[in-house]
Coordinates of all heavy atoms in Angstrom, one line a residue:
M51 N -35.2 32.4 -65.6 CA -33.8 32.3 -66.2 C -32.8 33.1 -65.3 O -33.1 34.1 -64.7 CB -33.8 32.9 -67.5 CG -34.3 31.9 -68.7 SD -33.2 30.5 -68.7 CE -32.6 30.6 -70.4
T52 N -31.6 32.6 -65.3 CA -30.6 33.2 -64.5 C -29.8 34.3 -65.4 O -29.4 34.0 -66.5 CB -29.5 32.1 -64.1 OG1 -30.2 31.1 -63.4 CG2 -28.4 32.7 -63.4
T53 N -29.7 35.4 -64.9 CA -28.9 36.4 -65.6 C -27.5 36.2 -65.1 O -27.1 36.0 -64.0 CB -29.2 37.8 -65.1 OG1 -30.6 38.1 -65.5 CG2 -28.4 38.9 -65.8
A54 N -26.5 36.0 -66.1 CA -25.2 35.7 -65.8 C -24.3 36.6 -66.6 O -24.7 37.0 -67.7 CB -24.9 34.3 -66.1
V55 N -23.1 36.9 -66.2 CA -22.1 37.7 -66.8 C -21.1 36.7 -67.5 O -20.6 35.8 -67.0 CB -21.3 38.5 -65.9 CG1 -20.3 39.3 -66.6 CG2 -22.2 39.4 -65.0
C56 N -20.9 37.0 -68.9 CA -19.9 36.2 -69.6 C -18.5 36.3 -69.0 O -18.2 37.5 -68.9 CB -20.0 36.5 -71.1 SG -18.6 35.8 -72.0
F57 N -17.9 35.2 -68.7 CA -16.5 35.4 -68.0 C -15.5 36.0 -69.0 O -14.5 36.5 -68.6 CB -16.0 34.0 -67.5 CG -15.8 33.1 -68.6 CD1 -14.4 32.9 -69.1 CD2 -16.7 32.3 -69.2 CE1 -14.1 32.1 -70.0 CE2 -16.4 31.4 -70.3 CZ -15.1 31.3 -70.7
Q58 N -15.8 35.9 -70.3 CA -14.8 36.3 -71.3 C -15.0 37.8 -71.8 O -14.1 38.5 -71.8 CB -14.8 35.4 -72.5 CG -13.8 35.8 -73.5 CD -13.5 34.7 -74.4 OE1 -12.8 33.6 -74.1 NE2 -14.0 34.7 -75.6
C59 N -16.3 38.1 -72.1 CA -16.5 39.5 -72.7 C -17.4 40.4 -71.8 O -17.6 41.5 -72.2 CB -17.1 39.4 -74.1 SG -18.8 38.9 -74.1
G60 N -17.9 39.7 -70.8 CA -18.8 40.6 -69.9 C -20.2 40.8 -70.3 O -21.0 41.5 -69.6
H61 N -20.5 40.1 -71.4 CA -21.9 40.3 -71.9 C -22.9 39.7 -70.9 O -22.6 38.7 -70.4 CB -22.0 39.6 -73.3 CG -23.3 39.6 -73.9 ND1 -23.9 40.8 -74.3 CD2 -24.3 38.7 -74.2 CE1 -25.0 40.5 -74.9 NE2 -25.3 39.3 -74.9
L62 N -24.0 40.4 -70.7 CA -25.0 39.8 -69.8 C -25.8 38.8 -70.5 O -26.5 39.1 -71.6 CB -25.9 40.8 -69.2 CG -25.3 41.8 -68.2 CD1 -26.3 42.8 -67.7 CD2 -24.6 41.2 -67.0
K63 N -25.7 37.5 -70.2 CA -26.4 36.4 -70.8 C -27.4 35.7 -69.9 O -27.4 36.0 -68.7 CB -25.4 35.4 -71.5 CG -24.5 34.9 -70.4 CD -23.4 33.9 -71.0 CE -22.7 33.2 -69.9 NZ -21.9 32.1 -70.4
F64 N -28.1 34.7 -70.3 CA -29.0 34.0 -69.5 C -28.5 32.6 -69.3 O -28.5 31.8 -70.3 CB -30.4 34.1 -70.1 CG -30.9 35.4 -70.2 CD1 -31.0 36.2 -71.3 CD2 -31.5 36.0 -69.1 CE1 -31.5 37.4 -71.3 CE2 -32.1 37.3 -69.0 CZ -32.0 38.0 -70.2
G65 N -28.1 32.3 -68.2 CA -27.6 30.9 -67.8 C -26.1 30.9 -67.7 O -25.4 31.4 -68.5
S66 N -25.5 30.4 -66.6 CA -24.2 30.4 -66.2 C -23.3 29.7 -67.3 O -22.2 30.2 -67.7 CB -23.9 29.8 -64.9 OG -24.6 30.3 -63.9
F67 N -23.9 28.6 -67.8 CA -22.9 27.6 -68.6 C -23.4 27.6 -70.1 O -22.7 26.9 -70.8 CB -23.0 26.2 -68.0 CG -22.5 26.2 -66.5 CD1 -23.3 25.5 -65.6 CD2 -21.4 26.8 -66.1 CE1 -22.9 25.6 -64.3 CE2 -21.0 26.8 -64.8 CZ -21.8 26.2 -63.9
V68 N -24.3 28.5 -70.5 CA -24.6 28.5 -71.9 C -23.6 29.3 -72.6 O -23.0 30.2 -72.0 CB -26.1 29.0 -72.1 CG1 -27.1 28.3 -71.3 CG2 -26.1 30.6 -71.7
P69 N -23.5 29.0 -74.0 CA -22.5 29.7 -74.7 C -23.0 31.2 -74.8 O -24.2 31.4 -74.8 CB -22.6 29.1 -76.1 CG -23.1 27.7 -75.8 CD -24.0 27.8 -74.7
C70 N -22.1 32.1 -74.7 CA -22.3 33.5 -74.8 C -22.9 33.8 -76.2 O -22.3 33.4 -77.1 CB -21.1 34.3 -74.5 SG -21.3 36.1 -74.7
D71 N -24.0 34.5 -76.2 CA -24.5 34.9 -77.6 C -23.7 36.1 -78.2 O -23.9 36.3 -79.4 CB -26.1 35.1 -77.6 CG -26.4 36.2 -76.6 OD1 -25.5 36.6 -75.7 OD2 -27.5 36.7 -76.5
Q72 N -22.8 36.6 -77.5 CA -22.0 37.6 -78.1 C -20.7 37.2 -78.6 O -20.3 37.4 -79.7 CB -21.8 38.8 -77.1 CG -21.0 40.0 -77.7 CD -21.5 41.3 -77.2 OE1 -22.7 41.6 -77.3 NE2 -20.6 42.0 -76.5
C73 N -20.0 36.5 -77.7 CA -18.6 36.0 -78.1 C -18.5 34.4 -78.3 O -17.5 33.9 -78.6 CB -17.5 36.4 -77.1 SG -17.7 35.6 -75.5
Q74 N -19.6 33.7 -78.1 CA -19.7 32.2 -78.2 C -18.9 31.5 -77.2 O -18.8 30.4 -77.3 CB -19.3 31.8 -79.6 CG -20.4 31.8 -80.6 CD -20.7 33.3 -81.1 OE1 -19.9 34.0 -81.5 NE2 -22.1 33.7 -80.9
A75 N -18.2 32.3 -76.2 CA -17.5 31.5 -75.3 C -18.4 30.9 -74.3 O -19.4 31.3 -73.9 CB -16.6 32.5 -74.4
R76 N -17.9 29.6 -73.9 CA -18.6 29.0 -72.7 C -17.5 28.4 -71.8 O -16.5 28.0 -72.3 CB -19.7 28.1 -73.1 CG -19.2 26.8 -73.8 CD -20.3 25.9 -74.1 NE -20.0 24.8 -74.9 CZ -19.4 23.7 -74.6 NH1 -19.0 23.5 -73.3 NH2 -19.1 22.8 -75.4
P77 N -17.9 28.5 -70.5 CA -16.9 28.0 -69.6 C -16.5 26.4 -69.7 O -17.4 25.7 -69.9 CB -17.5 28.2 -68.2 CG -18.9 28.4 -68.5 CD -19.1 28.8 -69.8
R78 N -15.2 26.2 -69.8 CA -14.7 24.7 -70.0 C -14.0 24.3 -68.8 O -14.1 23.2 -68.3 CB -13.9 24.7 -71.2 CG -14.8 24.8 -72.5 CD -13.8 24.9 -73.7 NE -14.6 25.2 -74.9 CZ -15.3 24.4 -75.6 NH1 -15.1 23.1 -75.4 NH2 -16.0 24.7 -76.7
T79 N -13.1 25.2 -68.2 CA -12.3 24.7 -67.1 C -13.1 24.9 -65.8 O -14.1 25.7 -65.8 CB -10.9 25.5 -67.0 OG1 -11.3 26.8 -66.6 CG2 -10.3 25.5 -68.3
D80 N -12.6 24.2 -64.7 CA -13.3 24.4 -63.4 C -13.3 25.8 -63.0 O -14.4 26.4 -62.6 CB -12.7 23.5 -62.4 CG -13.0 22.1 -62.6 OD1 -13.8 21.7 -63.5 OD2 -12.6 21.3 -61.6
D81 N -12.1 26.5 -63.2 CA -12.1 27.9 -62.8 C -13.1 28.8 -63.6 O -13.7 29.7 -63.0 CB -10.6 28.5 -62.9 CG -9.8 28.1 -61.8 OD1 -10.4 27.6 -60.7 OD2 -8.6 28.2 -61.9
E82 N -13.2 28.6 -64.9 CA -14.1 29.3 -65.7 C -15.5 29.1 -65.2 O -16.4 29.9 -65.3 CB -14.0 29.0 -67.1 CG -12.7 29.5 -67.7 CD -12.2 29.0 -69.1 OE1 -13.0 28.1 -69.6 OE2 -11.3 29.5 -69.7
M83 N -15.8 27.8 -64.9 CA -17.2 27.4 -64.5 C -17.5 28.0 -63.2 O -18.6 28.5 -62.9 CB -17.3 26.0 -64.4 CG -17.4 25.3 -65.8 SD -17.8 23.6 -65.7 CE -17.4 23.1 -67.4
I84 N -16.5 28.1 -62.2 CA -16.7 28.6 -60.9 C -17.0 30.1 -61.0 O -17.9 30.6 -60.4 CB -15.5 28.3 -60.0 CG1 -15.5 26.8 -59.6 CG2 -15.6 29.1 -58.8 CD1 -14.2 26.4 -59.1
I85 N -16.2 30.9 -61.8 CA -16.5 32.3 -62.0 C -17.9 32.5 -62.7 O -18.5 33.4 -62.3 CB -15.3 33.0 -62.6 CG1 -15.5 34.6 -62.5 CG2 -15.2 32.7 -64.1 CD1 -15.1 35.1 -61.2
S86 N -18.2 31.6 -63.5 CA -19.4 31.8 -64.2 C -20.6 31.6 -63.3 O -21.7 32.2 -63.4 CB -19.5 30.8 -65.5 OG -18.5 31.1 -66.4
L87 N -20.4 30.6 -62.4 CA -21.4 30.2 -61.4 C -21.6 31.4 -60.4 O -22.7 31.7 -60.0 CB -20.9 29.0 -60.7 CG -21.9 28.3 -59.6 CD1 -23.1 27.7 -60.3 CD2 -21.2 27.4 -58.8
A88 N -20.5 32.1 -60.2 CA -20.5 33.1 -59.2 C -21.2 34.3 -59.7 O -22.0 35.1 -59.0 CB -19.1 33.4 -58.7
M89 N -20.9 34.7 -61.0 CA -21.3 36.0 -61.6 C -22.8 35.9 -62.2 O -23.0 36.0 -63.3 CB -20.4 36.4 -62.6 CG -19.0 36.7 -62.1 SD -18.0 37.6 -63.3 CE -17.9 36.5 -64.7
T90 N -23.7 35.6 -61.2 CA -25.1 35.4 -61.7 C -26.0 36.1 -60.6 O -25.5 36.5 -59.5 CB -25.6 33.9 -61.6 OG1 -25.5 33.4 -60.3 CG2 -24.7 33.0 -62.6
D91 N -27.2 36.3 -61.0 CA -28.2 37.0 -60.0 C -28.6 36.2 -58.9 O -29.4 36.5 -58.1 CB -29.3 37.6 -60.8 CG -30.2 36.5 -61.6 OD1 -29.9 35.3 -61.4 OD2 -31.2 36.9 -62.2
H92 N -28.1 34.9 -58.9 CA -28.3 34.1 -57.6 C -27.5 34.7 -56.5 O -27.9 34.6 -55.4 CB -27.8 32.6 -57.9 CG -28.8 31.8 -58.6 ND1 -29.7 31.0 -58.1 CD2 -28.8 31.7 -60.0 CE1 -30.4 30.3 -59.1 NE2 -29.9 30.8 -60.3
Y93 N -26.3 35.3 -56.9 CA -25.4 35.7 -55.7 C -25.3 37.2 -55.7 O -24.9 37.8 -54.6 CB -24.1 35.1 -55.9 CG -24.3 33.5 -55.9 CD1 -24.0 32.8 -57.1 CD2 -24.5 32.9 -54.8 CE1 -24.2 31.4 -57.1 CE2 -24.6 31.5 -54.7 CZ -24.5 30.8 -56.0 OH -24.6 29.4 -56.0
F94 N -25.5 38.0 -56.8 CA -25.3 39.3 -56.9 C -26.4 40.0 -57.5 O -27.1 39.5 -58.3 CB -24.0 39.6 -57.7 CG -22.8 39.0 -57.1 CD1 -22.1 37.9 -57.6 CD2 -22.2 39.6 -55.9 CE1 -21.0 37.3 -57.1 CE2 -21.0 39.0 -55.4 CZ -20.5 37.9 -56.0
D95 N -26.7 41.4 -57.0 CA -27.7 42.1 -57.7 C -27.3 42.7 -59.1 O -26.1 42.6 -59.4 CB -28.2 43.2 -56.7 CG -27.1 44.2 -56.4 OD1 -26.2 44.3 -57.1 OD2 -27.3 44.9 -55.4
Q96 N -28.2 43.1 -59.7 CA -28.0 43.6 -61.1 C -27.0 44.7 -61.1 O -26.1 44.6 -62.0 CB -29.4 44.2 -61.6 CG -29.3 44.6 -63.1 CD -29.3 43.5 -64.1 OE1 -29.7 42.4 -63.8 NE2 -29.0 43.7 -65.4
A97 N -26.9 45.6 -60.3 CA -25.9 46.6 -60.3 C -24.5 46.0 -60.2 O -23.5 46.5 -60.8 CB -26.2 47.6 -59.1
T98 N -24.4 45.0 -59.3 CA -23.1 44.4 -59.1 C -22.7 43.6 -60.4 O -21.5 43.7 -60.8 CB -23.1 43.4 -57.8 OG1 -23.5 44.1 -56.8 CG2 -21.7 42.8 -57.6
L99 N -23.6 43.0 -60.9 CA -23.3 42.2 -62.2 C -22.9 43.2 -63.3 O -21.9 43.0 -63.9 CB -24.6 41.5 -62.7 CG -25.0 40.3 -61.8 CD1 -26.3 39.6 -62.4 CD2 -23.9 39.3 -61.6
E100 N -23.5 44.3 -63.3 CA -23.1 45.3 -64.3 C -21.7 45.9 -64.0 O -21.0 46.2 -64.9 CB -24.2 46.5 -64.4 CG -25.4 46.0 -65.1 CD -26.5 47.0 -65.1 OE1 -26.3 48.2 -64.6 OE2 -27.7 46.7 -65.6
S101 N -21.4 46.0 -62.7 CA -20.0 46.5 -62.5 C -19.0 45.4 -62.7 O -17.8 45.7 -63.1 CB -19.9 47.0 -61.0 OG -20.1 45.9 -60.1
M102 N -19.4 44.2 -62.6 CA -18.5 43.0 -63.1 C -18.3 43.1 -64.6 O -17.1 42.9 -65.1 CB -19.1 41.7 -62.7 CG -19.0 41.4 -61.1 SD -20.0 40.0 -60.7 CE -19.3 39.7 -59.1
R103 N -19.4 43.3 -65.3 CA -19.3 43.5 -66.7 C -18.4 44.6 -67.2 O -17.5 44.5 -68.0 CB -20.7 43.7 -67.3 CG -20.6 44.1 -68.9 CD -21.9 44.7 -69.3 NE -22.1 46.0 -68.7 CZ -23.2 46.7 -68.7 NH1 -24.3 46.2 -69.2 NH2 -23.3 47.8 -68.0
D104 N -18.5 45.8 -66.4 CA -17.6 46.8 -66.7 C -16.1 46.5 -66.5 O -15.2 46.9 -67.2 CB -18.0 48.1 -65.9 CG -19.3 48.6 -66.3 OD1 -19.8 48.3 -67.4 OD2 -20.0 49.4 -65.5
Y105 N -15.9 45.8 -65.4 CA -14.5 45.3 -65.1 C -14.0 44.4 -66.1 O -12.8 44.7 -66.6 CB -14.6 44.5 -63.7 CG -13.2 44.1 -63.2 CD1 -12.5 44.8 -62.3 CD2 -12.6 42.9 -63.8 CE1 -11.2 44.4 -61.9 CE2 -11.3 42.6 -63.4 CZ -10.7 43.4 -62.5 OH -9.4 42.8 -62.1
I106 N -14.8 43.5 -66.6 CA -14.3 42.7 -67.8 C -14.0 43.5 -69.0 O -13.0 43.3 -69.6 CB -15.3 41.6 -68.0 CG1 -15.3 40.6 -66.7 CG2 -14.9 40.8 -69.2 CD1 -16.5 39.6 -66.8
L107 N -14.9 44.5 -69.3 CA -14.7 45.3 -70.5 C -13.3 46.1 -70.3 O -12.7 46.3 -71.3 CB -15.9 46.3 -70.6 CG -17.2 45.6 -71.2 CD1 -18.3 46.7 -71.1 CD2 -17.0 45.1 -72.5
E108 N -13.1 46.5 -69.1 CA -11.9 47.4 -68.9 C -10.7 46.6 -68.9 O -9.7 47.0 -69.3 CB -12.1 48.2 -67.6 CG -11.1 49.2 -67.4 CD -11.3 50.0 -66.1 OE1 -12.5 50.1 -65.7 OE2 -10.3 50.6 -65.6
H109 N -10.8 45.4 -68.2 CA -9.5 44.6 -67.9 C -9.3 43.4 -68.9 O -8.2 42.8 -68.9 CB -9.5 44.1 -66.5 CG -9.4 45.2 -65.5 ND1 -10.6 45.9 -65.0 CD2 -8.4 45.9 -64.9 CE1 -10.1 46.8 -64.2 NE2 -8.9 46.8 -64.1
G110 N -10.4 43.0 -69.5 CA -10.3 41.8 -70.4 C -10.3 40.5 -69.8 O -10.1 39.6 -70.3
H111 N -10.5 40.5 -68.5 CA -10.8 39.2 -67.8 C -11.7 39.5 -66.6 O -11.9 40.6 -66.1 CB -9.4 38.7 -67.3 CG -8.6 39.5 -66.3 ND1 -8.9 39.5 -65.0 CD2 -7.7 40.5 -66.5 CE1 -8.1 40.4 -64.5 NE2 -7.3 41.0 -65.3
A112 N -12.3 38.4 -66.1 CA -13.1 38.4 -64.9 C -12.4 38.9 -63.7 O -11.3 38.6 -63.5 CB -13.8 37.1 -64.7
P113 N -13.2 39.5 -62.8 CA -12.6 39.9 -61.5 C -12.2 38.8 -60.7 O -12.9 37.6 -60.8 CB -13.6 40.8 -60.9 CG -14.9 40.4 -61.6 CD -14.6 40.0 -63.0
D114 N -11.2 38.8 -59.9 CA -10.8 37.7 -59.0 C -11.8 37.7 -57.8 O -12.1 38.7 -57.2 CB -9.4 37.9 -58.5 CG -8.3 37.5 -59.5 OD1 -8.6 36.6 -60.4 OD2 -7.3 38.1 -59.5
L115 N -12.3 36.5 -57.5 CA -13.0 36.4 -56.3 C -12.0 36.4 -55.1 O -10.9 35.9 -55.2 CB -13.8 35.1 -56.3 CG -14.9 34.8 -57.4 CD1 -15.2 33.4 -57.5 CD2 -16.0 35.8 -57.1
D116 N -12.5 36.9 -54.0 CA -11.6 36.7 -52.8 C -11.6 35.3 -52.5 O -12.6 34.5 -52.6 CB -12.1 37.7 -51.7 CG -13.4 37.2 -51.1 OD1 -13.5 36.3 -50.2 OD2 -14.5 37.7 -51.6
P117 N -10.5 34.9 -51.8 CA -10.2 33.4 -51.5 C -11.5 32.8 -50.8 O -11.7 31.6 -51.0 CB -8.9 33.4 -50.6 CG -8.3 34.7 -51.0 CD -9.4 35.7 -51.3
E118 N -11.9 33.5 -49.9 CA -13.1 32.9 -49.1 C -14.3 32.6 -50.0 O -14.9 31.6 -49.9 CB -13.4 33.8 -47.9 CG -14.0 33.2 -46.7 CD -13.2 32.0 -46.2 OE1 -12.0 32.0 -46.1 OE2 -14.0 30.9 -46.0
S119 N -14.7 33.6 -50.8 CA -15.8 33.4 -51.7 C -15.5 32.2 -52.7 O -16.3 31.5 -53.0 CB -16.1 34.7 -52.5 OG -16.2 35.7 -51.7
K120 N -14.3 32.3 -53.2 CA -13.9 31.3 -54.2 C -14.1 29.9 -53.6 O -14.6 28.9 -54.3 CB -12.4 31.5 -54.6 CG -12.2 30.7 -55.9 CD -11.0 31.3 -56.6 CE -10.8 30.5 -57.9 NZ -9.6 31.0 -58.7
K121 N -13.7 29.7 -52.3 CA -13.8 28.4 -51.6 C -15.2 28.1 -51.5 O -15.6 26.9 -51.8 CB -13.2 28.5 -50.1 CG -12.4 27.5 -49.8 CD -11.5 27.8 -48.7 CE -12.1 27.5 -47.3 NZ -11.4 27.9 -46.1
T122 N -16.1 29.0 -51.3 CA -17.6 28.7 -51.1 C -18.1 28.3 -52.6 O -18.9 27.4 -52.6 CB -18.3 29.9 -50.6 OG1 -17.7 30.4 -49.4 CG2 -19.8 29.7 -50.3
F123 N -17.7 29.1 -53.5 CA -18.2 28.9 -54.9 C -17.7 27.5 -55.4 O -18.5 26.8 -56.1 CB -18.0 30.0 -55.9 CG -18.8 31.2 -55.6 CD1 -18.2 32.4 -55.3 CD2 -20.3 31.1 -55.7 CE1 -19.1 33.5 -55.0 CE2 -21.0 32.2 -55.5 CZ -20.4 33.3 -55.2
R124 N -16.5 27.2 -55.1 CA -15.9 26.0 -55.5 C -16.6 24.8 -54.9 O -17.0 23.8 -55.6 CB -14.4 25.9 -55.1 CG -13.7 24.7 -55.7 CD -12.3 24.6 -55.4 NE -11.5 25.5 -56.2 CZ -11.1 25.3 -57.5 NH1 -11.4 24.2 -58.1 NH2 -10.5 26.1 -58.3
K125 N -17.0 25.0 -53.6 CA -17.8 23.9 -53.0 C -19.1 23.7 -53.6 O -19.6 22.7 -53.8 CB -18.0 24.3 -51.4 CG -18.5 23.2 -50.5 CD -18.2 23.5 -49.1 CE -19.0 22.5 -48.2 NZ -20.4 22.8 -48.2
T126 N -19.8 24.9 -53.9 CA -21.1 24.8 -54.5 C -20.9 24.2 -55.9 O -21.8 23.3 -56.3 CB -21.7 26.2 -54.8 OG1 -21.6 26.9 -53.5 CG2 -23.0 26.2 -55.4
F127 N -19.9 24.5 -56.6 CA -19.6 23.9 -57.9 C -19.4 22.5 -57.9 O -20.1 21.7 -58.7 CB -18.4 24.6 -58.6 CG -18.0 24.0 -59.8 CD1 -18.8 24.0 -61.0 CD2 -16.8 23.3 -59.9 CE1 -18.3 23.4 -62.2 CE2 -16.4 22.7 -61.0 CZ -17.1 22.8 -62.1
E128 N -18.7 22.0 -56.9 CA -18.4 20.6 -56.7 C -19.7 19.8 -56.5 O -19.8 18.7 -56.8 CB -17.3 20.3 -55.6 CG -16.0 20.9 -55.9 CD -15.2 20.2 -57.0 OE1 -15.6 19.1 -57.5 OE2 -14.2 20.8 -57.5
E129 N -20.6 20.4 -55.7 CA -21.8 19.8 -55.3 C -22.7 19.7 -56.5 O -23.3 18.6 -56.8 CB -22.5 20.6 -54.3 CG -22.0 20.4 -52.9 CD -22.4 21.4 -51.8 OE1 -23.3 22.2 -52.1 OE2 -21.9 21.4 -50.6
V130 N -22.7 20.8 -57.3 CA -23.6 20.7 -58.5 C -23.0 19.7 -59.5 O -23.7 18.9 -60.1 CB -23.6 22.1 -59.2 CG1 -24.4 22.1 -60.6 CG2 -24.3 23.0 -58.3
K131 N -21.6 19.7 -59.6 CA -21.0 18.8 -60.4 C -21.2 17.4 -60.1 O -21.4 16.4 -61.0 CB -19.4 19.1 -60.5 CG -18.6 18.6 -61.6 CD -17.2 18.9 -61.5 CE -16.3 18.3 -62.4 NZ -14.9 18.8 -62.2
A132 N -21.2 17.1 -58.8 CA -21.4 15.7 -58.3 C -22.8 15.2 -58.7 O -23.0 13.9 -58.7 CB -21.2 15.7 -56.8
T133 N -23.8 16.1 -59.0 CA -25.2 15.6 -59.3 C -25.2 15.2 -60.7 O -26.2 14.5 -61.2 CB -26.1 16.6 -59.1 OG1 -25.9 17.7 -60.0 CG2 -26.2 17.2 -57.6
G134 N -24.1 15.5 -61.5 CA -24.1 15.2 -62.9 C -24.8 16.2 -63.8 O -24.9 16.1 -65.0
A135 N -25.4 17.3 -63.1 CA -26.2 18.3 -63.8 C -25.4 19.0 -64.9 O -25.7 19.3 -65.9 CB -26.8 19.1 -62.9
I136 N -24.1 19.3 -64.5 CA -23.2 20.1 -65.3 C -22.8 19.3 -66.6 O -23.0 19.9 -67.7 CB -22.0 20.5 -64.6 CG1 -22.3 21.6 -63.6 CG2 -21.0 21.2 -65.6 CD1 -21.3 22.1 -62.7
E137 N -22.6 18.1 -66.4 CA -22.2 17.1 -67.4 C -23.3 17.0 -68.4 O -23.1 17.2 -69.7 CB -21.7 15.8 -66.9 CG -20.9 15.0 -67.9 CD -20.5 13.7 -67.3 OE1 -20.7 13.5 -66.1 OE2 -20.2 12.8 -68.0
K138 N -24.5 16.9 -67.9 CA -25.6 16.7 -68.8 C -25.9 18.0 -69.5 O -26.2 18.0 -70.7 CB -26.8 16.5 -67.8 CG -28.0 15.8 -68.4 CD -29.0 15.3 -67.4 CE -30.4 15.4 -67.9 NZ -31.5 15.2 -67.0
M139 N -25.7 19.1 -68.8 CA -25.9 20.5 -69.5 C -25.0 20.7 -70.6 O -25.3 21.1 -71.7 CB -25.8 21.6 -68.4 CG -26.4 22.9 -68.8 SD -26.9 23.9 -67.4 CE -25.7 23.4 -66.1
L140 N -23.7 20.3 -70.3 CA -22.6 20.6 -71.2 C -22.8 19.7 -72.5 O -22.6 20.0 -73.6 CB -21.3 20.3 -70.6 CG -20.8 21.3 -69.6 CD1 -19.5 20.9 -69.0 CD2 -20.8 22.7 -70.1
N141 N -23.3 18.4 -72.2 CA -23.5 17.5 -73.3 C -24.5 18.0 -74.2 O -24.5 17.7 -75.5 CB -23.8 16.1 -72.8 CG -22.6 15.3 -72.1 OD1 -21.5 15.7 -72.5 ND2 -22.8 14.4 -71.3
S142 N -25.5 18.7 -73.7 CA -26.6 19.2 -74.5 C -26.1 20.3 -75.5 O -26.8 20.5 -76.5 CB -27.8 19.7 -73.7 OG -27.3 21.0 -73.1
F143 N -24.9 20.8 -75.3 CA -24.3 21.8 -76.2 C -23.4 21.2 -77.3 O -22.9 21.7 -78.1 CB -23.5 22.8 -75.5 CG -24.4 23.6 -74.5 CD1 -23.8 23.8 -73.2 CD2 -25.6 24.2 -74.9 CE1 -24.6 24.6 -72.3 CE2 -26.3 24.9 -73.9 CZ -25.8 25.1 -72.7
E144 N -23.2 19.8 -77.1 CA -22.2 19.1 -77.8 C -23.0 18.2 -78.9 O -22.6 17.2 -79.1 CB -21.3 18.3 -77.0 CG -20.5 19.0 -75.9 CD -19.3 19.8 -76.5 OE1 -19.1 19.6 -77.7 OE2 -18.6 20.3 -75.7
D145 N -23.8 18.7 -79.5 CA -24.7 17.9 -80.5 C -23.8 17.3 -81.7 O -24.2 16.3 -82.1 CB -25.7 18.9 -81.1 CG -26.7 19.3 -80.1 OD1 -26.9 18.6 -79.1 OD2 -27.4 20.4 -80.3
N146 N -22.8 18.0 -82.0 CA -22.0 17.4 -83.1 C -20.8 16.5 -82.8 O -20.1 16.1 -83.6 CB -21.4 18.7 -83.9 CG -22.6 19.4 -84.5 OD1 -23.6 18.9 -84.9 ND2 -22.5 20.9 -84.6
S147 N -20.6 16.3 -81.5 CA -19.4 15.6 -81.1 C -19.9 14.1 -80.7 O -21.0 13.9 -80.2 CB -18.8 16.2 -79.9 OG -19.5 16.1 -78.7
E148 N -19.0 13.3 -81.1 CA -19.2 11.9 -80.9 C -20.5 11.3 -81.2 O -21.3 11.0 -80.4 CB -18.8 11.4 -79.5 CG -17.3 11.1 -79.3 CD -16.6 12.2 -78.7 OE1 -17.2 13.0 -78.0 OE2 -15.4 12.5 -79.0
Ligands
ZN739 ZN1 -19.1 36.6 -74.2

């Protein structure tokens, strides 16, 4: 399982796009998904994830990625999105809709 930081409350959860078990937030916009994709143990070690959590707790929002990293993560996100995996994953959380 992927350790990921909740983009909204900083809670360490499992899986970038799963609803947070603490605040129930899950990323919906591209930007929220990109930061959620970035703040995982795929890209950062546990200590860095914890400092991101501390940042969110202190500031109430996720740290800004530097433009270069953001470009890289956006590209990764677009690639994942193109496979349809994200849509499939999100649909699995939408049991009650349509
Ligand atoms: Zn949360």
Side-chain angles (χ1 to χ4, degrees):
M51 278 298 245
T52 301
T53 302
V55 181
C56 172
F57 70 97
Q58 181 162 285
C59 75
H61 183 62
L62 293 180
K63 56 179 187 167
F64 295 100
S66 304
F67 302 131
V68 302
C70 174
D71 51 353
Q72 183 144 301
C73 72
Q74 274 76 52
R76 67 177 168 81
R78 291 170 186 274
T79 68
D80 282 7
D81 280 347
E82 287 168 356
M83 289 192 194
I84 288 165
I85 191 75
S86 299
L87 185 72
M89 296 193 300
T90 66
D91 62 2
H92 283 265
Y93 303 107
F94 298 105
D95 60 22
Q96 183 76 16
T98 307
L99 294 179
E100 284 173 8
S101 68
M102 287 170 165
R103 175 197 61 198
D104 293 345
Y105 182 96
I106 294 171
L107 287 175
E108 191 178 335
H109 296 88
H111 61 85
D114 283 329
L115 297 167
D116 67 86
E118 207 48 46
S119 306
K120 194 161 181 180
K121 225 162 89 183
T122 307
F123 285 120
R124 183 174 290 276
K125 190 163 172 287
T126 305
F127 171 70
E128 297 292 349
E129 283 168 8
V130 176
K131 199 176 172 182
T133 66
I136 290 177
E137 203 181 339
K138 204 170 149 191
M139 195 158 30
L140 293 179
N141 285 340
S142 70
F143 300 131
E144 301 281 4
D145 292 334
N146 298 322
S147 69
E148 273 98 33

